[in-house]
Amino acid sequence: MRKFLFGLTLLLTGSMSAFAQWGRPIDYSEGPGLKDAYKDYFTIGVAVNQNNVTDAAQIEIIKKQFNSVTAENDWKPGEIHPKEGVWNFEKADKIANFCRENGIKMRGHCLCWHSQFADWMFTDKKGKPVKKEVFYERLRDHIHTVVNRYKDVVYAWDVVNEAMADDGRPFEFVDGKMVKASPYRQSRHFKLCGDEFIAKAFEFAREADPTGVLIYNDYSCVDNGKRERIYEMVKKMKDAGVPIDGIGMQGHYNIYFPDEEQLEKAIERFSEIVNIIHITELDLRTNTESGGQLMFARGEAKPQAAHIATLQEDQYNRLFRIFRKHKDVIKNVTFWNLSDKDSWLGLGNHPLPFDENFKAKRSLQVIRDFDAARDNYVPKDDWVPNPKNQPGQEYPQVNSEGFARFRVEAPDAKSVIVSLGLGGRGGTVLRKNKDGVWEGTTEGPMDPGFHYYHLTIDGGVVNDPGTHNYFGSCRWESGIEIPAPDQDIYACRTDIPHGNIQQVLFYSKSLGKMQTANVYLPNGYGKVVKGKQERYPVLYLQHGWGENETSWPVQGHAGLIMDNLIADGKIKPFIVVMAYGLTNDFKFGTIGKFTAEEFEKVLVDELVPFIDANFLTKADKWNRAMAGLSMGGMETKLITLRRPEAFGYWGLLSGGMYMPDEIKDPKAVKYIFEGCGDKENPEGITKSVEALKAAGFNAEGLISEGTAHEFLTWRRCLYQMAQSLFK
Ligand code: XIL
């Protein structure tokens, strides 16, 4: 729907920005690389495989986006050193040399781990367990060899990986007995050496590399129990003089977990004992699993649903905001794999900012194009219920800066997304608060004026029960009104007389059915003055695609705008007729072939005669105007050019432009209005108005400040245009 609407915007206003955004797929990789966007924060890394450093296109992505590289598997002890005296350096060298050639520094992953390890170190030639001294000798040799070979290109080492036990196992069986679970993972390393192997590994690494950053790396650091176990272990080691410089938080998370608070708790806790934290293996599954365990659901490779993609973008956004906030201690953030295709989680988890075709996802843009000023900004606390709320509803609310905040009760929902949010960001994702209520605030101020919106709850579209409904996008949508500096022009004033809007039903012969129109009659209509009833000119005012005859009177506030203009003496009273423009029945992709011929019959041959027969009108073309917004502008242009005998004043509101040579008889029109928002295609409108003026037409333009293809633009247009009609 949205795509369609913006395609329409393009057609009507020639807006290149709208085109770039909606007309064809966006290249989200346009813009600076992540490493450049984060140069004042931390380095941005990626875990790579052999393909990634071989394929030219993938190499380009790495070079543009990242300034830190981790070998996903090729540096692991089991790969490099599978048997005593056997060293496989080929793949490891390839990655190291790629980094050396491109001036990228590496994280050395990893020197000591329970998995993908050189397990031969634990046994002798006959397969018998060795003493821990033998193991240490072998481990020392391994660490020295690897570190010496690569330390020129490595700035940090994951010395020990995953030595602590997971949450959720308060007890465990040891020698057939149930005992309180150890804080340590029951690895072969631990069983042979206790936690001394951790200290030893760090000591060996420090001997070999006196300056590299030595990291203890683990997953699920955001779990309460594991966080504390890691904290205690690292603290104990450091107190004993073990050279641990920092903690690596792997970051295998998902789109729901962790929340900011939980993540922050871990960062702050670890900051008490280290001043270097690396987020070493970031990816966001689209299911509810997390952690670095090697058993997991691989997901289905089907395309990611739109609401799931939005949740992922939002989660990346939230996590990076916390990372930025803690840049004093976070020194690196590394994505675990380059693309969804490479992901160890399987492509069906869609966990990364690049998709299975190595195309950037919107997540990349969200991570990259952050607004530092917004990071820790707290919106002004002058919230009021949205003026469009249903009686007694406190939410949604708006503040004087244009932020909107939402509250939705959906206790069993998995996700709630409000379609309204900062441009191009897919909406505002709500989070469940402690009382089980979904809450959230837009990331920044919204454009002033009226916006349609809806909720997406677990992928299904519903309205916000807080607000009234407004017909747009071919359905009744929720609506919100962001305070505008000039909201007086459509305010419902207590100090003036008001006109009224009547609904009339008329028979359309061409359609063979009844049609509805809403007719604004100014205050005083029908009064007998000096024995006579006054007659009025008429403006036929059309809505846009997806809307209907209620759109101008309700969300457009056409009646209030007229009342205010009349009361302030800015215009002489006239009638406004707002009928359904048959905009909503045709198929996607056929907008270019739209002729408005059906509506032309309804309007010119049926509705105009009906209005002239039933209301006190001045029934001639010099007392008749036609104007429309968006697709209604398209109709206006087509119909006024084909039937110049019907209307003497023409208005296009974000609804295209007239070229002077399209108007065969320059005397056919007394006044042309063209307007749009400054976020649409203001240059196009300005140029067209200039060209019309140069050709001798009485033309006027309006560029609405700070608005896009939305109702505040059109309210302002009506306010302006009305003042020049019927003169
Ligand atoms: C993973 C790799 O990505 C997979 O290809 C491999 O099969 C298993 O290991 N924690 C770590 C990483 O520290 O080394 C793991 O990498 C993921 C969990």
Side-chain angles (χ1 to χ4, degrees):
M1 292 285 195
R2 208 177 193 181
K3 208 171 192 168
F4 174 82
L5 199 65
F6 281 87
L8 192 66
T9 317
L10 163 73
L11 208 88
L12 296 170
T13 66
S15 164
M16 280 319 286
S17 64
F19 185 66
Q21 224 177 340
W22 303 101
R24 63 176 139 87
I26 306 162
D27 180 359
Y28 291 111
S29 72
E30 264 173 34
L34 288 177
K35 65 173 170 35
D36 304 311
Y38 279 88
K39 67 176 181 343
D40 297 332
Y41 292 84
F42 31 74
T43 56
I44 304 279
V46 62
V48 300
N49 56 36
Q50 295 291 304
N51 281 341
N52 300 150
V53 296
T54 308
D55 176 88
Q58 296 174 38
I59 289 175
E60 276 320 298
I61 297 177
I62 296 172
K63 281 162 58 177
K64 173 169 180 180
Q65 306 290 348
F66 303 104
N67 50 5
S68 172
V69 157
T70 307
E72 182 194 9
N73 286 308
D74 297 328
W75 283 31
K76 288 172 179 169
E79 306 292 323
I80 289 191
H81 201 179
K83 284 190 191 133
E84 182 154 33
V86 177
W87 293 92
N88 292 334
F89 282 124
E90 200 187 322
K91 289 177 175 174
D93 282 355
K94 174 145 185 184
I95 294 174
N97 290 335
F98 167 81
C99 290
R100 288 180 179 121
E101 280 154 26
N102 291 292
I104 303 174
K105 290 286 179 208
M106 294 188 65
R107 303 191 72 267
H109 177 84
C110 51
L111 299 175
C112 184
W113 185 24
H114 67 89
S115 179
Q116 292 173 288
F117 188 63
D119 280 346
W120 58 266
M121 288 188 199
F122 295 112
T123 48
D124 66 15
K125 289 211 172 67
K126 292 184 192 132
K128 290 238 173 71
V130 297
K131 290 219 169 73
K132 70 176 182 181
E133 287 72 24
V134 177
F135 170 71
Y136 287 150
E137 221 172 280
R138 291 169 168 183
L139 183 65
R140 181 172 185 273
D141 172 53
H142 173 82
I143 291 177
H144 272 249
T145 307
V146 173
V147 170
N148 280 318
R149 190 174 183 94
Y150 297 122
K151 67 182 173 192
D152 65 297
V153 71
V154 170
Y155 69 98
W157 296 97
D158 289 334
V159 178
V160 174
N161 200 25
E162 303 177 356
M164 306 313 291
D166 292 342
D167 275 15
R169 305 171 52 250
F171 299 98
E172 63 192 2
F173 278 101
V174 174
D175 301 331
K177 267 195 235 142
M178 184 124 96
V179 294
K180 194 166 177 276
S182 158
Y184 293 95
R185 176 186 295 279
Q186 298 304 298
S187 62
R188 290 178 87 171
H189 309 58
F190 182 79
K191 285 182 179 155
L192 179 63
C193 318
D195 65 5
E196 190 189 48
F197 84 92
I198 302 175
K200 289 287 178 197
F202 276 93
E203 279 156 20
F204 301 152
R206 177 55 80 229
E207 286 164 17
D209 186 350
T211 56
V213 174
L214 305 185
I215 298 275
Y216 171 75
N217 191 45
D218 213 330
Y219 64 83
S220 298
C221 300
V222 292
D223 290 356
N224 290 329
K226 196 156 179 186
R227 179 193 66 226
E228 291 307 307
R229 285 193 286 283
I230 293 169
Y231 173 90
E232 293 299 341
M233 181 278 285
V234 173
K235 186 169 184 326
K236 173 181 151 189
M237 294 279 161
K238 284 186 68 90
D239 288 349
V242 176
I244 301 181
D245 297 320
I247 294 177
M249 297 173 57
Q250 288 189 8
H252 298 295
Y253 302 140
N254 66 50
I255 57 178
Y256 310 99
F257 172 86
D259 62 20
E260 291 106 314
E261 202 187 323
Q262 201 63 19
L263 173 63
E264 215 166 7
K265 259 194 219 165
I267 296 170
E268 285 172 356
R269 186 69 164 145
F270 294 160
S271 308
E272 294 172 24
I273 47 169
V274 292
N275 46 29
I276 297 175
I277 292 176
H278 289 184
I279 308 298
T280 53
E281 305 182 16
L282 184 61
D283 47 23
L284 298 185
R285 292 162 163 102
T286 53
N287 58 27
T288 52
E289 294 180 351
S290 64
Q293 300 90 330
L294 300 175
M295 298 278 284
F296 48 79
R298 298 183 73 80
E300 292 167 58
K302 64 184 178 195
Q304 201 170 5
H307 74 284
I308 297 292
T310 300
L311 295 177
Q312 189 175 49
E313 292 150 14
D314 180 69
Q315 177 71 333
Y316 268 125
N317 192 27
R318 287 170 192 259
L319 299 185
F320 270 86
R321 202 186 300 137
I322 298 298
F323 297 157
R324 291 193 294 272
K325 182 171 168 195
H326 294 280
K327 67 170 182 171
D328 55 326
V329 57
I330 292 181
K331 302 296 175 195
N332 168 264
V333 176
T334 289
F335 291 91
W336 200 249
N337 298 114
L338 181 57
S339 76
D340 289 346
K341 186 179 179 185
D342 302 304
S343 172
W344 72 301
L345 300 168
L347 120 93
N349 270 306
H350 304 279
L352 293 160
F354 284 90
D355 73 9
E356 63 272 27
N357 300 310
F358 298 92
K359 281 217 335 252
K361 301 200 257 181
R362 189 159 60 185
S363 290
L364 184 83
Q365 184 194 49
V366 166
I367 296 166
R368 178 193 62 215
D369 297 346
F370 63 91
D371 179 348
R374 213 180 278 140
D375 269 355
N376 303 311
Y377 188 76
V378 180
K380 212 166 162 191
D381 193 15
D382 57 359
W383 300 98
V384 293
N386 161 41
K388 298 276 185 273
N389 281 359
Q390 299 199 28
Q393 295 295 323
E394 284 295 307
Y395 282 83
Q397 300 192 332
V398 294
N399 83 351
S400 60
E401 299 166 307
F403 284 81
R405 69 181 187 187
F406 304 87
R407 243 179 106 92
V408 176
E409 291 197 32
D412 293 333
K414 283 208 310 221
S415 67
V416 179
I417 303 170
V418 180
S419 61
L420 195 72
L422 287 195
R425 285 282 182 102
T428 300
V429 173
L430 309 190
R431 287 282 170 104
K432 227 186 225 182
N433 71 12
K434 296 210 162 59
D435 308 321
V437 178
W438 296 83
E439 285 182 330
T441 302
T442 55
E443 242 196 295
M446 301 287 93
D447 287 352
F450 176 81
H451 307 286
Y452 297 108
Y453 76 98
H454 54 254
L455 309 177
T456 301
I457 302 188
D458 294 349
V461 172
V462 291
N463 278 5
D464 185 339
T467 77
H468 285 289
N469 296 337
Y470 301 86
F471 202 77
S473 296
C474 297
R475 60 183 292 277
W476 295 92
E477 291 261 77
S478 304
I480 198 166
E481 190 74 47
I482 305 294
D486 53 346
Q487 59 196 8
D488 285 354
I489 66 173
Y490 49 87
C492 182
R493 282 158 57 181
T494 54
D495 60 329
I496 60 166
H498 289 271
N500 68 67
I501 296 178
Q502 303 191 355
Q503 192 186 71
V504 299
L505 295 170
F506 66 100
Y507 180 67
S508 162
K509 201 172 160 205
S510 62
L511 299 175
K513 58 182 176 185
M514 298 306 291
Q515 289 295 96
T516 311
N518 288 309
V519 181
Y520 169 80
L521 300 174
N523 174 263
Y525 173 89
K527 259 196 205 146
V528 181
V529 180
K530 291 187 193 145
K532 256 178 69 186
Q533 281 183 311
E534 199 183 332
R535 291 190 162 267
Y536 299 89
V538 185
L539 162 64
Y540 289 82
L541 185 59
Q542 292 313 126
H543 58 82
W545 173 83
E547 298 174 334
N548 67 12
E549 70 280 1
T550 65
S551 304
W552 265 114
V554 181
Q555 53 269 40
H557 294 320
L560 295 173
I561 293 172
M562 291 296 294
D563 291 342
N564 294 339
L565 283 165
I566 294 166
D568 291 341
K570 291 195 152 76
I571 62 170
K572 290 218 186 89
F574 59 81
I575 294 170
V576 184
V577 176
M578 297 158 281
Y580 175 51
L582 312 184
T583 49
N584 301 343
D585 288 333
F586 71 94
K587 307 252 164 352
F588 278 74
T590 59
I591 184 78
K593 295 190 196 115
F594 181 69
T595 63
E597 267 160 15
E598 271 190 311
F599 183 58
E600 179 184 322
K601 284 193 200 106
V602 173
L603 175 69
V604 184
D605 302 328
E606 297 166 353
L607 179 59
V608 169
F610 175 87
I611 295 291
D612 284 339
N614 290 284
F615 291 90
L616 297 163
T617 64
K618 292 183 176 167
D620 66 277
K621 102 165 233 179
W622 298 119
N623 284 295
R624 215 178 280 130
M626 180 175 183
L629 72 89
S630 193
M631 193 169 167
M634 229 171 133
E635 294 181 325
T636 301
K637 181 174 167 181
L638 289 163
I639 294 172
T640 53
L641 289 176
R642 281 200 300 257
R643 306 290 293 271
E645 77 281 5
F647 304 99
Y649 304 79
W650 307 347
L652 309 182
L653 289 54
S654 308
M657 295 158 251
Y658 292 99
M659 302 300 150
D661 55 7
E662 289 174 322
I663 306 168
K664 286 193 198 88
D665 175 10
K667 293 205 184 70
V669 56
K670 267 198 186 160
Y671 168 76
I672 295 174
F673 174 88
E674 293 179 359
C676 74
D678 63 6
K679 297 186 178 182
E680 299 188 83
N681 177 26
E683 305 81 36
I685 294 294
T686 309
K687 277 192 195 139
S688 157
V689 170
E690 274 165 20
L692 287 167
K693 279 185 180 160
F697 290 95
N698 174 24
E700 185 184 19
L702 175 75
I703 306 302
S704 159
E705 207 182 305
T707 65
H709 202 68
E710 292 188 282
F711 248 110
L712 183 56
T713 302
W714 308 319
R715 290 174 185 162
R716 287 171 171 170
C717 285
L718 173 60
Y719 187 81
Q720 175 83 21
M721 175 182 72
Q723 299 181 46
S724 299
L725 296 178
F726 313 120
K727 284 198 170 147

